[in-house]
Amino acid sequence: MRKAIHFKALINYFKTEKGGLVSPVSDGFRAFIKFPFELKSYIAVQTFNHTELIFPGDSVSIEVTLIDAEQFLEKLYEGMDFELIDNSGTIGAGIITEVM
């Protein structure tokens, strides 16, 4: 069973030289999302509809499902920006284009 999509976003994955991804990632990639003015980071499962792999430096429209974010979902809005983070640091930046 597939989890509900919470929002669509346009994400710019930083190039490796800028601290971004080192290798491509595939559909279902999980990273942390940090929203402005929110103390907690959320795990985001990313769904890529138009490509199988995302490479460092790519900008792509994706669907995002947040894990354990029920209390935060009502705060999401179109135009809200966020950072995409993994163990190495900030790997990308995004903006919500549609709240589901």
Side-chain angles (χ1 to χ4, degrees), residues 7 9-10 33-38 72 75-84 92-97:
F7 61 88
L10 179 62
I33 282 189
K34 177 76 173 119
F35 294 98
F37 312 113
E38 179 69 9
F72 183 71
K75 297 179 185 177
L76 297 173
Y77 59 88
E78 290 181 22
M80 184 179 214
D81 61 337
F82 58 87
E83 293 180 330
L84 199 60
I95 187 165
I96 296 176
T97 57

Side-chain angles (χ1 to χ4, degrees), residues 36-80:
F37 312 113
E38 179 69 9
L39 298 176
K40 183 176 179 184
S41 295
Y42 298 96
I43 297 173
V45 179
Q46 301 171 47
T47 304
F48 311 140
N49 291 324
H50 303 293
T51 186
E52 291 205 10
L53 291 175
I54 302 297
F55 292 88
D58 282 355
S59 289
V60 65
S61 183
I62 66 167
E63 294 177 342
V64 177
T65 301
L66 298 176
I67 306 295
D68 294 330
E70 288 74 25
Q71 315 87 299
F72 183 71
L73 295 178
E74 70 230 16
K75 297 179 185 177
L76 297 173
Y77 59 88
E78 290 181 22
M80 184 179 214

Side-chain angles (χ1 to χ4, degrees), residues 7-20:
F7 61 88
K8 293 182 180 180
L10 179 62
I11 294 185
N12 175 30
Y13 295 90
F14 298 155
K15 293 183 178 185
T16 305
E17 307 83 61
K18 304 275 187 193

